Amino acid sequence: MPNPNAVTSRSGTIVAMGEILVEIVATRVGQSFREPGTLIGPFASGAS
């Protein structure tokens, strides 16, 4: 059965598994995430 998440190209098949983890950062120190504010990112996280 073919994998629905696979991408086929002329050089073969690419299959990606796992999670995409990134960090989103507030622009102000002490900024609450319970109210609207400015965020920057995404930045690659150190998760493995």
Side-chain angles (χ1 to χ4, degrees):
M1 174 165 81
N3 183 335
N5 299 318
V7 175
T8 303
S9 69
R10 284 186 258 169
S11 60
T13 301
I14 300 170
V15 177
M17 296 191 300
E19 20 185 294
I20 299 173
L21 298 175
V22 295
E23 296 180 14
I24 305 295
V25 181
T27 57
R28 288 188 335 237
V29 174
Q31 177 177 319
S32 171
F33 291 103
R34 296 180 185 211
E35 58 187 40
T38 305
L39 304 173
I40 56 174
F43 301 101
S45 121
S48 55

PDB file of all heavy atoms in Angstrom:
ATOM      1  N   MET A   1       0.846  -1.165   0.000  1.00  0.00           N
ATOM      2  CA  MET A   1       0.000   0.000   0.000  1.00  0.00           C
ATOM      3  C   MET A   1       0.900   1.240   0.000  1.00  0.00           C
ATOM      4  O   MET A   1       1.803   1.362   0.817  1.00  0.00           O
ATOM      5  CB  MET A   1      -0.896  -0.027   1.239  1.00  0.00           C
ATOM      6  CG  MET A   1      -1.722   1.212   1.401  1.00  0.00           C
ATOM      7  SD  MET A   1      -3.065   1.039   2.575  1.00  0.00           S
ATOM      8  CE  MET A   1      -2.241   1.273   4.109  1.00  0.00           C
ATOM      9  N   PRO A   2       0.683   2.194  -0.900  1.00  0.00           N
ATOM     10  CA  PRO A   2       1.511   3.400  -0.954  1.00  0.00           C
ATOM     11  C   PRO A   2       1.331   4.269   0.282  1.00  0.00           C
ATOM     12  O   PRO A   2       0.261   4.337   0.866  1.00  0.00           O
ATOM     13  CB  PRO A   2       1.013   4.138  -2.191  1.00  0.00           C
ATOM     14  CG  PRO A   2      -0.017   3.293  -2.832  1.00  0.00           C
ATOM     15  CD  PRO A   2      -0.310   2.139  -1.946  1.00  0.00           C
ATOM     16  N   ASN A   3       2.400   4.937   0.669  1.00  0.00           N
ATOM     17  CA  ASN A   3       2.364   5.847   1.810  1.00  0.00           C
ATOM     18  C   ASN A   3       1.796   7.189   1.346  1.00  0.00           C
ATOM     19  O   ASN A   3       2.376   7.836   0.490  1.00  0.00           O
ATOM     20  CB  ASN A   3       3.775   6.027   2.373  1.00  0.00           C
ATOM     21  CG  ASN A   3       3.800   6.898   3.610  1.00  0.00           C
ATOM     22  OD1 ASN A   3       2.930   7.727   3.822  1.00  0.00           O
ATOM     23  ND2 ASN A   3       4.809   6.708   4.422  1.00  0.00           N
ATOM     24  N   PRO A   4       0.681   7.669   1.913  1.00  0.00           N
ATOM     25  CA  PRO A   4       0.087   8.946   1.480  1.00  0.00           C
ATOM     26  C   PRO A   4       0.951  10.150   1.824  1.00  0.00           C
ATOM     27  O   PRO A   4       0.766  11.226   1.290  1.00  0.00           O
ATOM     28  CB  PRO A   4      -1.250   8.993   2.213  1.00  0.00           C
ATOM     29  CG  PRO A   4      -1.054   8.126   3.405  1.00  0.00           C
ATOM     30  CD  PRO A   4      -0.082   7.043   2.980  1.00  0.00           C
ATOM     31  N   ASN A   5       1.925   9.982   2.734  1.00  0.00           N
ATOM     32  CA  ASN A   5       2.791  11.087   3.131  1.00  0.00           C
ATOM     33  C   ASN A   5       4.096  11.128   2.349  1.00  0.00           C
ATOM     34  O   ASN A   5       4.933  11.979   2.589  1.00  0.00           O
ATOM     35  CB  ASN A   5       3.108  11.005   4.627  1.00  0.00           C
ATOM     36  CG  ASN A   5       1.847  11.109   5.463  1.00  0.00           C
ATOM     37  OD1 ASN A   5       0.976  11.909   5.173  1.00  0.00           O
ATOM     38  ND2 ASN A   5       1.735  10.286   6.466  1.00  0.00           N
ATOM     39  N   ALA A   6       4.297  10.202   1.421  1.00  0.00           N
ATOM     40  CA  ALA A   6       5.540  10.135   0.659  1.00  0.00           C
ATOM     41  C   ALA A   6       5.476  11.062  -0.548  1.00  0.00           C
ATOM     42  O   ALA A   6       4.426  11.302  -1.115  1.00  0.00           O
ATOM     43  CB  ALA A   6       5.792   8.704   0.212  1.00  0.00           C
ATOM     44  N   VAL A   7       6.634  11.562  -0.933  1.00  0.00           N
ATOM     45  CA  VAL A   7       6.766  12.405  -2.111  1.00  0.00           C
ATOM     46  C   VAL A   7       7.685  11.671  -3.077  1.00  0.00           C
ATOM     47  O   VAL A   7       8.797  11.302  -2.725  1.00  0.00           O
ATOM     48  CB  VAL A   7       7.369  13.778  -1.752  1.00  0.00           C
ATOM     49  CG1 VAL A   7       7.605  14.591  -3.003  1.00  0.00           C
ATOM     50  CG2 VAL A   7       6.470  14.508  -0.779  1.00  0.00           C
ATOM     51  N   THR A   8       7.218  11.433  -4.279  1.00  0.00           N
ATOM     52  CA  THR A   8       8.017  10.718  -5.265  1.00  0.00           C
ATOM     53  C   THR A   8       8.633  11.712  -6.239  1.00  0.00           C
ATOM     54  O   THR A   8       7.973  12.616  -6.722  1.00  0.00           O
ATOM     55  CB  THR A   8       7.153   9.698  -6.027  1.00  0.00           C
ATOM     56  OG1 THR A   8       6.570   8.817  -5.068  1.00  0.00           O
ATOM     57  CG2 THR A   8       7.993   8.888  -6.988  1.00  0.00           C
ATOM     58  N   SER A   9       9.920  11.533  -6.487  1.00  0.00           N
ATOM     59  CA  SER A   9      10.617  12.373  -7.451  1.00  0.00           C
ATOM     60  C   SER A   9      11.406  11.467  -8.391  1.00  0.00           C
ATOM     61  O   SER A   9      11.402  10.254  -8.244  1.00  0.00           O
ATOM     62  CB  SER A   9      11.563  13.348  -6.746  1.00  0.00           C
ATOM     63  OG  SER A   9      12.638  12.639  -6.163  1.00  0.00           O
ATOM     64  N   ARG A  10      12.099  12.053  -9.349  1.00  0.00           N
ATOM     65  CA  ARG A  10      12.891  11.254 -10.288  1.00  0.00           C
ATOM     66  C   ARG A  10      14.019  10.509  -9.595  1.00  0.00           C
ATOM     67  O   ARG A  10      14.452   9.475 -10.058  1.00  0.00           O
ATOM     68  CB  ARG A  10      13.462  12.147 -11.384  1.00  0.00           C
ATOM     69  CG  ARG A  10      12.408  12.526 -12.403  1.00  0.00           C
ATOM     70  CD  ARG A  10      13.038  13.269 -13.528  1.00  0.00           C
ATOM     71  NE  ARG A  10      12.736  14.677 -13.300  1.00  0.00           N
ATOM     72  CZ  ARG A  10      13.263  15.674 -13.933  1.00  0.00           C
ATOM     73  NH1 ARG A  10      14.161  15.470 -14.854  1.00  0.00           N
ATOM     74  NH2 ARG A  10      12.917  16.903 -13.660  1.00  0.00           N
ATOM     75  N   SER A  11      14.483  11.035  -8.459  1.00  0.00           N
ATOM     76  CA  SER A  11      15.605  10.397  -7.775  1.00  0.00           C
ATOM     77  C   SER A  11      15.174   9.420  -6.686  1.00  0.00           C
ATOM     78  O   SER A  11      16.008   8.814  -6.038  1.00  0.00           O
ATOM     79  CB  SER A  11      16.514  11.463  -7.178  1.00  0.00           C
ATOM     80  OG  SER A  11      15.799  12.242  -6.254  1.00  0.00           O
ATOM     81  N   GLY A  12      13.879   9.256  -6.457  1.00  0.00           N
ATOM     82  CA  GLY A  12      13.422   8.297  -5.452  1.00  0.00           C
ATOM     83  C   GLY A  12      12.231   8.808  -4.670  1.00  0.00           C
ATOM     84  O   GLY A  12      11.527   9.713  -5.101  1.00  0.00           O
ATOM     85  N   THR A  13      12.012   8.223  -3.508  1.00  0.00           N
ATOM     86  CA  THR A  13      10.892   8.571  -2.650  1.00  0.00           C
ATOM     87  C   THR A  13      11.412   9.192  -1.360  1.00  0.00           C
ATOM     88  O   THR A  13      12.358   8.695  -0.765  1.00  0.00           O
ATOM     89  CB  THR A  13      10.056   7.320  -2.317  1.00  0.00           C
ATOM     90  OG1 THR A  13       9.590   6.764  -3.530  1.00  0.00           O
ATOM     91  CG2 THR A  13       8.882   7.652  -1.430  1.00  0.00           C
ATOM     92  N   ILE A  14      10.796  10.274  -0.929  1.00  0.00           N
ATOM     93  CA  ILE A  14      11.150  10.933   0.332  1.00  0.00           C
ATOM     94  C   ILE A  14       9.995  10.734   1.295  1.00  0.00           C
ATOM     95  O   ILE A  14       8.850  11.044   0.971  1.00  0.00           O
ATOM     96  CB  ILE A  14      11.386  12.438   0.112  1.00  0.00           C
ATOM     97  CG1 ILE A  14      12.514  12.649  -0.882  1.00  0.00           C
ATOM     98  CG2 ILE A  14      11.652  13.130   1.442  1.00  0.00           C
ATOM     99  CD1 ILE A  14      12.652  14.081  -1.326  1.00  0.00           C
ATOM    100  N   VAL A  15      10.293  10.209   2.475  1.00  0.00           N
ATOM    101  CA  VAL A  15       9.277  10.015   3.509  1.00  0.00           C
ATOM    102  C   VAL A  15       9.738  10.765   4.749  1.00  0.00           C
ATOM    103  O   VAL A  15      10.866  10.595   5.203  1.00  0.00           O
ATOM    104  CB  VAL A  15       9.082   8.522   3.835  1.00  0.00           C
ATOM    105  CG1 VAL A  15       8.073   8.346   4.951  1.00  0.00           C
ATOM    106  CG2 VAL A  15       8.665   7.748   2.604  1.00  0.00           C
ATOM    107  N   ALA A  16       8.889  11.622   5.291  1.00  0.00           N
ATOM    108  CA  ALA A  16       9.216  12.372   6.508  1.00  0.00           C
ATOM    109  C   ALA A  16       8.357  11.862   7.651  1.00  0.00           C
ATOM    110  O   ALA A  16       7.161  11.677   7.492  1.00  0.00           O
ATOM    111  CB  ALA A  16       8.973  13.855   6.284  1.00  0.00           C
ATOM    112  N   MET A  17       8.994  11.617   8.788  1.00  0.00           N
ATOM    113  CA  MET A  17       8.259  11.162   9.969  1.00  0.00           C
ATOM    114  C   MET A  17       8.713  11.992  11.159  1.00  0.00           C
ATOM    115  O   MET A  17       9.825  12.505  11.175  1.00  0.00           O
ATOM    116  CB  MET A  17       8.551   9.690  10.240  1.00  0.00           C
ATOM    117  CG  MET A  17       8.066   8.782   9.151  1.00  0.00           C
ATOM    118  SD  MET A  17       8.108   7.044   9.551  1.00  0.00           S
ATOM    119  CE  MET A  17       9.803   6.745   9.868  1.00  0.00           C
ATOM    120  N   GLY A  18       7.861  12.117  12.128  1.00  0.00           N
ATOM    121  CA  GLY A  18       8.217  12.843  13.336  1.00  0.00           C
ATOM    122  C   GLY A  18       7.396  14.104  13.486  1.00  0.00           C
ATOM    123  O   GLY A  18       6.405  14.309  12.819  1.00  0.00           O
ATOM    124  N   GLU A  19       7.854  14.949  14.373  1.00  0.00           N
ATOM    125  CA  GLU A  19       7.125  16.162  14.666  1.00  0.00           C
ATOM    126  C   GLU A  19       7.939  17.376  14.255  1.00  0.00           C
ATOM    127  O   GLU A  19       9.158  17.330  14.214  1.00  0.00           O
ATOM    128  CB  GLU A  19       6.788  16.249  16.163  1.00  0.00           C
ATOM    129  CG  GLU A  19       7.628  15.381  17.030  1.00  0.00           C
ATOM    130  CD  GLU A  19       7.204  15.403  18.472  1.00  0.00           C
ATOM    131  OE1 GLU A  19       7.337  16.462  19.090  1.00  0.00           O
ATOM    132  OE2 GLU A  19       6.761  14.382  18.955  1.00  0.00           O
ATOM    133  N   ILE A  20       7.263  18.432  13.937  1.00  0.00           N
ATOM    134  CA  ILE A  20       7.918  19.693  13.642  1.00  0.00           C
ATOM    135  C   ILE A  20       7.757  20.559  14.884  1.00  0.00           C
ATOM    136  O   ILE A  20       6.648  20.925  15.265  1.00  0.00           O
ATOM    137  CB  ILE A  20       7.275  20.381  12.422  1.00  0.00           C
ATOM    138  CG1 ILE A  20       7.412  19.498  11.209  1.00  0.00           C
ATOM    139  CG2 ILE A  20       7.877  21.745  12.206  1.00  0.00           C
ATOM    140  CD1 ILE A  20       6.668  20.021  10.008  1.00  0.00           C
ATOM    141  N   LEU A  21       8.868  20.845  15.533  1.00  0.00           N
ATOM    142  CA  LEU A  21       8.814  21.628  16.765  1.00  0.00           C
ATOM    143  C   LEU A  21       9.554  22.932  16.573  1.00  0.00           C
ATOM    144  O   LEU A  21      10.695  22.955  16.138  1.00  0.00           O
ATOM    145  CB  LEU A  21       9.448  20.850  17.922  1.00  0.00           C
ATOM    146  CG  LEU A  21       8.758  19.536  18.264  1.00  0.00           C
ATOM    147  CD1 LEU A  21       9.539  18.809  19.343  1.00  0.00           C
ATOM    148  CD2 LEU A  21       7.340  19.787  18.728  1.00  0.00           C
ATOM    149  N   VAL A  22       8.892  24.016  16.872  1.00  0.00           N
ATOM    150  CA  VAL A  22       9.500  25.337  16.760  1.00  0.00           C
ATOM    151  C   VAL A  22       9.167  26.144  18.010  1.00  0.00           C
ATOM    152  O   VAL A  22       8.281  25.797  18.775  1.00  0.00           O
ATOM    153  CB  VAL A  22       9.006  26.096  15.508  1.00  0.00           C
ATOM    154  CG1 VAL A  22       9.442  25.404  14.245  1.00  0.00           C
ATOM    155  CG2 VAL A  22       7.517  26.298  15.541  1.00  0.00           C
ATOM    156  N   GLU A  23       9.902  27.205  18.182  1.00  0.00           N
ATOM    157  CA  GLU A  23       9.643  28.115  19.297  1.00  0.00           C
ATOM    158  C   GLU A  23       9.142  29.445  18.757  1.00  0.00           C
ATOM    159  O   GLU A  23       9.631  29.935  17.744  1.00  0.00           O
ATOM    160  CB  GLU A  23      10.922  28.335  20.104  1.00  0.00           C
ATOM    161  CG  GLU A  23      11.400  27.050  20.753  1.00  0.00           C
ATOM    162  CD  GLU A  23      12.668  27.228  21.551  1.00  0.00           C
ATOM    163  OE1 GLU A  23      13.041  28.395  21.837  1.00  0.00           O
ATOM    164  OE2 GLU A  23      13.280  26.223  21.895  1.00  0.00           O
ATOM    165  N   ILE A  24       8.145  29.988  19.409  1.00  0.00           N
ATOM    166  CA  ILE A  24       7.608  31.308  19.098  1.00  0.00           C
ATOM    167  C   ILE A  24       7.933  32.180  20.309  1.00  0.00           C
ATOM    168  O   ILE A  24       7.701  31.781  21.447  1.00  0.00           O
ATOM    169  CB  ILE A  24       6.073  31.258  18.882  1.00  0.00           C
ATOM    170  CG1 ILE A  24       5.715  30.239  17.813  1.00  0.00           C
ATOM    171  CG2 ILE A  24       5.529  32.626  18.562  1.00  0.00           C
ATOM    172  CD1 ILE A  24       6.210  30.539  16.427  1.00  0.00           C
ATOM    173  N   VAL A  25       8.471  33.375  20.077  1.00  0.00           N
ATOM    174  CA  VAL A  25       8.984  34.210  21.163  1.00  0.00           C
ATOM    175  C   VAL A  25       8.230  35.539  21.215  1.00  0.00           C
ATOM    176  O   VAL A  25       7.969  36.149  20.178  1.00  0.00           O
ATOM    177  CB  VAL A  25      10.494  34.477  20.946  1.00  0.00           C
ATOM    178  CG1 VAL A  25      11.065  35.323  22.067  1.00  0.00           C
ATOM    179  CG2 VAL A  25      11.254  33.175  20.820  1.00  0.00           C
ATOM    180  N   ALA A  26       7.906  35.969  22.432  1.00  0.00           N
ATOM    181  CA  ALA A  26       7.282  37.285  22.631  1.00  0.00           C
ATOM    182  C   ALA A  26       8.332  38.371  22.429  1.00  0.00           C
ATOM    183  O   ALA A  26       9.509  38.162  22.701  1.00  0.00           O
ATOM    184  CB  ALA A  26       6.700  37.371  24.034  1.00  0.00           C
ATOM    185  N   THR A  27       7.913  39.532  21.956  1.00  0.00           N
ATOM    186  CA  THR A  27       8.853  40.622  21.704  1.00  0.00           C
ATOM    187  C   THR A  27       9.112  41.481  22.938  1.00  0.00           C
ATOM    188  O   THR A  27      10.073  42.232  22.964  1.00  0.00           O
ATOM    189  CB  THR A  27       8.336  41.525  20.573  1.00  0.00           C
ATOM    190  OG1 THR A  27       7.055  42.016  20.917  1.00  0.00           O
ATOM    191  CG2 THR A  27       8.266  40.777  19.264  1.00  0.00           C
ATOM    192  N   ARG A  28       8.272  41.371  23.965  1.00  0.00           N
ATOM    193  CA  ARG A  28       8.452  42.143  25.204  1.00  0.00           C
ATOM    194  C   ARG A  28       8.708  41.198  26.366  1.00  0.00           C
ATOM    195  O   ARG A  28       8.056  40.154  26.488  1.00  0.00           O
ATOM    196  CB  ARG A  28       7.180  42.930  25.539  1.00  0.00           C
ATOM    197  CG  ARG A  28       6.896  44.099  24.677  1.00  0.00           C
ATOM    198  CD  ARG A  28       5.716  44.907  25.241  1.00  0.00           C
ATOM    199  NE  ARG A  28       4.826  44.094  26.059  1.00  0.00           N
ATOM    200  CZ  ARG A  28       3.516  43.947  25.834  1.00  0.00           C
ATOM    201  NH1 ARG A  28       2.942  44.581  24.838  1.00  0.00           N
ATOM    202  NH2 ARG A  28       2.782  43.205  26.607  1.00  0.00           N
ATOM    203  N   VAL A  29       9.628  41.560  27.236  1.00  0.00           N
ATOM    204  CA  VAL A  29       9.873  40.780  28.452  1.00  0.00           C
ATOM    205  C   VAL A  29       8.641  40.890  29.336  1.00  0.00           C
ATOM    206  O   VAL A  29       8.096  41.978  29.533  1.00  0.00           O
ATOM    207  CB  VAL A  29      11.120  41.310  29.199  1.00  0.00           C
ATOM    208  CG1 VAL A  29      11.287  40.598  30.533  1.00  0.00           C
ATOM    209  CG2 VAL A  29      12.353  41.151  28.338  1.00  0.00           C
ATOM    210  N   GLY A  30       8.149  39.770  29.847  1.00  0.00           N
ATOM    211  CA  GLY A  30       6.990  39.769  30.726  1.00  0.00           C
ATOM    212  C   GLY A  30       5.653  39.790  30.005  1.00  0.00           C
ATOM    213  O   GLY A  30       4.611  39.865  30.640  1.00  0.00           O
ATOM    214  N   GLN A  31       5.683  39.725  28.678  1.00  0.00           N
ATOM    215  CA  GLN A  31       4.437  39.739  27.895  1.00  0.00           C
ATOM    216  C   GLN A  31       3.624  38.480  28.193  1.00  0.00           C
ATOM    217  O   GLN A  31       4.142  37.384  28.194  1.00  0.00           O
ATOM    218  CB  GLN A  31       4.772  39.803  26.407  1.00  0.00           C
ATOM    219  CG  GLN A  31       3.560  39.757  25.504  1.00  0.00           C
ATOM    220  CD  GLN A  31       3.955  39.907  24.035  1.00  0.00           C
ATOM    221  OE1 GLN A  31       4.815  40.701  23.721  1.00  0.00           O
ATOM    222  NE2 GLN A  31       3.343  39.136  23.191  1.00  0.00           N
ATOM    223  N   SER A  32       2.352  38.646  28.446  1.00  0.00           N
ATOM    224  CA  SER A  32       1.458  37.527  28.716  1.00  0.00           C
ATOM    225  C   SER A  32       0.962  36.937  27.399  1.00  0.00           C
ATOM    226  O   SER A  32       0.792  37.641  26.408  1.00  0.00           O
ATOM    227  CB  SER A  32       0.262  38.008  29.533  1.00  0.00           C
ATOM    228  OG  SER A  32      -0.695  36.987  29.632  1.00  0.00           O
ATOM    229  N   PHE A  33       0.763  35.636  27.401  1.00  0.00           N
ATOM    230  CA  PHE A  33       0.176  34.988  26.229  1.00  0.00           C
ATOM    231  C   PHE A  33      -1.353  34.911  26.350  1.00  0.00           C
ATOM    232  O   PHE A  33      -2.011  34.311  25.524  1.00  0.00           O
ATOM    233  CB  PHE A  33       0.764  33.586  26.050  1.00  0.00           C
ATOM    234  CG  PHE A  33       2.213  33.633  25.646  1.00  0.00           C
ATOM    235  CD1 PHE A  33       3.203  33.378  26.568  1.00  0.00           C
ATOM    236  CD2 PHE A  33       2.575  33.943  24.346  1.00  0.00           C
ATOM    237  CE1 PHE A  33       4.534  33.427  26.205  1.00  0.00           C
ATOM    238  CE2 PHE A  33       3.898  33.995  23.972  1.00  0.00           C
ATOM    239  CZ  PHE A  33       4.885  33.733  24.900  1.00  0.00           C
ATOM    240  N   ARG A  34      -1.889  35.521  27.380  1.00  0.00           N
ATOM    241  CA  ARG A  34      -3.344  35.531  27.587  1.00  0.00           C
ATOM    242  C   ARG A  34      -4.011  36.732  26.945  1.00  0.00           C
ATOM    243  O   ARG A  34      -5.226  36.859  26.996  1.00  0.00           O
ATOM    244  CB  ARG A  34      -3.653  35.500  29.077  1.00  0.00           C
ATOM    245  CG  ARG A  34      -3.186  34.223  29.716  1.00  0.00           C
ATOM    246  CD  ARG A  34      -3.488  34.213  31.178  1.00  0.00           C
ATOM    247  NE  ARG A  34      -2.916  33.011  31.758  1.00  0.00           N
ATOM    248  CZ  ARG A  34      -3.414  32.386  32.786  1.00  0.00           C
ATOM    249  NH1 ARG A  34      -4.490  32.857  33.379  1.00  0.00           N
ATOM    250  NH2 ARG A  34      -2.847  31.302  33.251  1.00  0.00           N
ATOM    251  N   GLU A  35      -3.211  37.637  26.377  1.00  0.00           N
ATOM    252  CA  GLU A  35      -3.755  38.807  25.687  1.00  0.00           C
ATOM    253  C   GLU A  35      -2.997  38.965  24.370  1.00  0.00           C
ATOM    254  O   GLU A  35      -1.890  38.444  24.228  1.00  0.00           O
ATOM    255  CB  GLU A  35      -3.612  40.052  26.553  1.00  0.00           C
ATOM    256  CG  GLU A  35      -2.177  40.346  26.936  1.00  0.00           C
ATOM    257  CD  GLU A  35      -2.066  41.482  27.938  1.00  0.00           C
ATOM    258  OE1 GLU A  35      -2.892  41.557  28.848  1.00  0.00           O
ATOM    259  OE2 GLU A  35      -1.127  42.272  27.781  1.00  0.00           O
ATOM    260  N   PRO A  36      -3.582  39.660  23.409  1.00  0.00           N
ATOM    261  CA  PRO A  36      -2.889  39.838  22.125  1.00  0.00           C
ATOM    262  C   PRO A  36      -1.547  40.536  22.305  1.00  0.00           C
ATOM    263  O   PRO A  36      -1.404  41.421  23.141  1.00  0.00           O
ATOM    264  CB  PRO A  36      -3.850  40.713  21.316  1.00  0.00           C
ATOM    265  CG  PRO A  36      -5.186  40.521  21.945  1.00  0.00           C
ATOM    266  CD  PRO A  36      -4.918  40.265  23.405  1.00  0.00           C
ATOM    267  N   GLY A  37      -0.579  40.107  21.555  1.00  0.00           N
ATOM    268  CA  GLY A  37       0.744  40.712  21.606  1.00  0.00           C
ATOM    269  C   GLY A  37       1.526  40.341  20.355  1.00  0.00           C
ATOM    270  O   GLY A  37       1.073  39.536  19.543  1.00  0.00           O
ATOM    271  N   THR A  38       2.707  40.910  20.215  1.00  0.00           N
ATOM    272  CA  THR A  38       3.536  40.631  19.058  1.00  0.00           C
ATOM    273  C   THR A  38       4.455  39.455  19.352  1.00  0.00           C
ATOM    274  O   THR A  38       5.115  39.413  20.390  1.00  0.00           O
ATOM    275  CB  THR A  38       4.384  41.870  18.704  1.00  0.00           C
ATOM    276  OG1 THR A  38       3.503  42.971  18.526  1.00  0.00           O
ATOM    277  CG2 THR A  38       5.160  41.648  17.434  1.00  0.00           C
ATOM    278  N   LEU A  39       4.490  38.504  18.429  1.00  0.00           N
ATOM    279  CA  LEU A  39       5.349  37.337  18.549  1.00  0.00           C
ATOM    280  C   LEU A  39       6.276  37.278  17.346  1.00  0.00           C
ATOM    281  O   LEU A  39       5.939  37.757  16.268  1.00  0.00           O
ATOM    282  CB  LEU A  39       4.509  36.061  18.603  1.00  0.00           C
ATOM    283  CG  LEU A  39       3.444  35.986  19.692  1.00  0.00           C
ATOM    284  CD1 LEU A  39       2.588  34.749  19.513  1.00  0.00           C
ATOM    285  CD2 LEU A  39       4.095  35.996  21.055  1.00  0.00           C
ATOM    286  N   ILE A  40       7.465  36.701  17.531  1.00  0.00           N
ATOM    287  CA  ILE A  40       8.379  36.491  16.414  1.00  0.00           C
ATOM    288  C   ILE A  40       8.756  35.017  16.357  1.00  0.00           C
ATOM    289  O   ILE A  40       8.675  34.295  17.337  1.00  0.00           O
ATOM    290  CB  ILE A  40       9.646  37.372  16.532  1.00  0.00           C
ATOM    291  CG1 ILE A  40      10.371  37.134  17.852  1.00  0.00           C
ATOM    292  CG2 ILE A  40       9.297  38.830  16.364  1.00  0.00           C
ATOM    293  CD1 ILE A  40      11.705  37.859  17.956  1.00  0.00           C
ATOM    294  N   GLY A  41       9.126  34.572  15.197  1.00  0.00           N
ATOM    295  CA  GLY A  41       9.496  33.172  14.994  1.00  0.00           C
ATOM    296  C   GLY A  41       8.860  32.687  13.720  1.00  0.00           C
ATOM    297  O   GLY A  41       8.323  33.497  12.950  1.00  0.00           O
ATOM    298  N   PRO A  42       8.870  31.469  13.426  1.00  0.00           N
ATOM    299  CA  PRO A  42       9.338  30.370  14.266  1.00  0.00           C
ATOM    300  C   PRO A  42      10.861  30.207  14.224  1.00  0.00           C
ATOM    301  O   PRO A  42      11.500  30.538  13.245  1.00  0.00           O
ATOM    302  CB  PRO A  42       8.656  29.162  13.664  1.00  0.00           C
ATOM    303  CG  PRO A  42       8.502  29.488  12.217  1.00  0.00           C
ATOM    304  CD  PRO A  42       8.299  30.983  12.169  1.00  0.00           C
ATOM    305  N   PHE A  43      11.389  29.707  15.326  1.00  0.00           N
ATOM    306  CA  PHE A  43      12.797  29.358  15.426  1.00  0.00           C
ATOM    307  C   PHE A  43      12.881  27.858  15.687  1.00  0.00           C
ATOM    308  O   PHE A  43      12.069  27.312  16.426  1.00  0.00           O
ATOM    309  CB  PHE A  43      13.469  30.105  16.592  1.00  0.00           C
ATOM    310  CG  PHE A  43      13.388  31.599  16.453  1.00  0.00           C
ATOM    311  CD1 PHE A  43      12.456  32.329  17.174  1.00  0.00           C
ATOM    312  CD2 PHE A  43      14.219  32.265  15.574  1.00  0.00           C
ATOM    313  CE1 PHE A  43      12.382  33.713  17.051  1.00  0.00           C
ATOM    314  CE2 PHE A  43      14.151  33.644  15.434  1.00  0.00           C
ATOM    315  CZ  PHE A  43      13.233  34.358  16.169  1.00  0.00           C
ATOM    316  N   ALA A  44      13.867  27.233  15.113  1.00  0.00           N
ATOM    317  CA  ALA A  44      14.032  25.791  15.324  1.00  0.00           C
ATOM    318  C   ALA A  44      14.261  25.527  16.802  1.00  0.00           C
ATOM    319  O   ALA A  44      15.018  26.212  17.458  1.00  0.00           O
ATOM    320  CB  ALA A  44      15.210  25.282  14.521  1.00  0.00           C
ATOM    321  N   SER A  45      13.577  24.529  17.330  1.00  0.00           N
ATOM    322  CA  SER A  45      13.714  24.196  18.731  1.00  0.00           C
ATOM    323  C   SER A  45      14.848  23.188  18.904  1.00  0.00           C
ATOM    324  O   SER A  45      15.297  22.573  17.947  1.00  0.00           O
ATOM    325  CB  SER A  45      12.387  23.662  19.253  1.00  0.00           C
ATOM    326  OG  SER A  45      12.493  22.381  19.754  1.00  0.00           O
ATOM    327  N   GLY A  46      15.305  23.000  20.102  1.00  0.00           N
ATOM    328  CA  GLY A  46      16.381  22.049  20.359  1.00  0.00           C
ATOM    329  C   GLY A  46      15.866  20.641  20.594  1.00  0.00           C
ATOM    330  O   GLY A  46      16.626  19.752  20.955  1.00  0.00           O
ATOM    331  N   ALA A  47      14.590  20.408  20.398  1.00  0.00           N
ATOM    332  CA  ALA A  47      14.019  19.084  20.641  1.00  0.00           C
ATOM    333  C   ALA A  47      14.581  18.075  19.662  1.00  0.00           C
ATOM    334  O   ALA A  47      14.916  18.382  18.532  1.00  0.00           O
ATOM    335  CB  ALA A  47      12.500  19.140  20.518  1.00  0.00           C
ATOM    336  N   SER A  48      14.688  16.857  20.120  1.00  0.00           N
ATOM    337  CA  SER A  48      15.158  15.797  19.209  1.00  0.00           C
ATOM    338  C   SER A  48      14.297  14.570  19.354  1.00  0.00           C
ATOM    339  O   SER A  48      13.522  14.417  20.206  1.00  0.00           O
ATOM    340  CB  SER A  48      16.604  15.446  19.517  1.00  0.00           C
ATOM    341  OG  SER A  48      16.763  15.084  20.867  1.00  0.00           O
TER     342      SER A  48
END
